[in-house]
Amino acid sequence: PWLAFANDVPSEADIVDQGHNCKEEETVLVNTLRDDDMSLVPEHAITSSRVRVETESVTSESEPPEIIIEPELPSSSAFEEAATVLQEAPWKKLATSRAVWAMAIAHAANNFGLYINLSWTPTFYAEQYGLSIKESALLSILPSVAGAVGGLLAGNAADYVIERSGGGLDERTAVRKTFQAIALLGPAFSLFTLANDMPSSPFTAQLLLTGAIGMQ
């Protein structure tokens, strides 16, 4: 039965139990005659408080009533729980933690260089090499892709090294510092090389920019 597969990954016991329940109480689907994914809804949903049937605009039998599913607003308990979490958070320890400040500064420095590179790369190609907007945009694609791939690979590699080294606090700290140093010093070296020895080919410049963004 389709209700058994509504969960993300239902277990075999859940499927059996839900299958028995479906046999005892059959689910009836109602056609709402809508030209979208809400054309079929369970019959019990129509009587739910979350579903409102619009009948005032119906002028003839050929015009079916419109069924509107209204979203559920967060309950007051959800706001109270969020307020409790914020009140119980150790804000003083976070504000005085050297590790938190180190992560915040490193993240800000990393993002500053990243978004400057992504924003000004097309202008760099146009002014330095006289390329058109289309050509500059095409050359700017590879550094962006390298940044996404580099982030995924670096995260997996760091987890692998931490696991292989024992996973202790000292090993975890050393690995994170090493990877963060690469993410800051690697792009700095690439941009320093690009600024002091401007390549004659835009493709060579693209490789340096790809390395700068890929290592971030």
Side-chain angles (χ1 to χ4, degrees):
W2 67 276
L3 284 177
F5 296 94
N7 298 326
D8 292 337
V9 184
S11 62
E12 184 177 353
D14 292 336
I15 295 177
V16 173
D17 293 341
Q18 293 179 7
H20 288 307
N21 293 334
C22 290
K23 290 181 181 180
E24 296 175 359
E25 183 179 353
E26 183 179 3
T27 300
V28 179
L29 297 179
V30 178
N31 188 353
T32 61
L33 301 180
R34 292 168 60 100
D35 295 331
D36 54 24
D37 293 337
M38 289 300 301
S39 59
L40 293 177
V41 297
E43 185 180 32
H44 62 82
I46 298 180
T47 59
S48 173
S49 59
R50 295 179 58 245
V51 179
R52 177 165 50 89
V53 180
E54 294 288 346
T55 58
E56 297 178 357
S57 60
V58 178
T59 58
S60 64
E61 296 181 356
S62 61
E63 298 182 6
E66 183 179 2
I67 297 179
I68 300 177
I69 297 183
E70 299 177 343
E72 291 183 347
L73 297 177
S75 61
S76 58
S77 60
F79 290 107
E80 293 174 358
E81 183 179 355
T84 302
V85 172
L86 292 176
Q87 292 175 356
E88 294 179 353
W91 296 110
K92 185 177 180 180
K93 291 183 179 180
L94 292 174
T96 56
S97 172
R98 295 174 57 188
V100 172
W101 278 102
M103 288 188 295
I105 294 173
H107 185 69
N110 195 318
N111 278 351
F112 179 82
L114 173 64
Y115 290 109
I116 287 293
N117 289 334
L118 293 177
S119 301
W120 284 94
T121 296
T123 304
F124 164 75
Y125 287 129
E127 294 185 356
Q128 182 65 32
Y129 298 102
L131 301 180
S132 64
I133 296 178
K134 180 179 179 180
E135 293 171 335
S136 299
L138 291 176
L139 289 177
S140 302
I141 293 176
L142 184 59
S144 301
V145 174
V149 175
L152 295 174
L153 292 178
N156 289 324
D159 291 340
Y160 176 78
V161 175
I162 290 174
E163 184 179 355
R164 294 280 296 182
S165 60
L169 180 60
D170 293 338
E171 293 80 6
R172 189 183 300 271
T173 302
V175 171
R176 289 177 175 173
K177 287 182 177 179
T178 301
F179 275 77
Q180 187 60 63
I182 295 174
L184 292 175
L185 297 179
F189 175 78
S190 298
L191 294 177
F192 182 82
T193 303
L194 180 63
N196 287 273
D197 187 12
M198 189 65 62
S200 58
S201 172
F203 298 102
T204 304
Q206 183 193 38
L207 292 178
L208 289 173
L209 288 172
T210 300
I213 297 178
M215 283 185 284
Q216 285 185 306

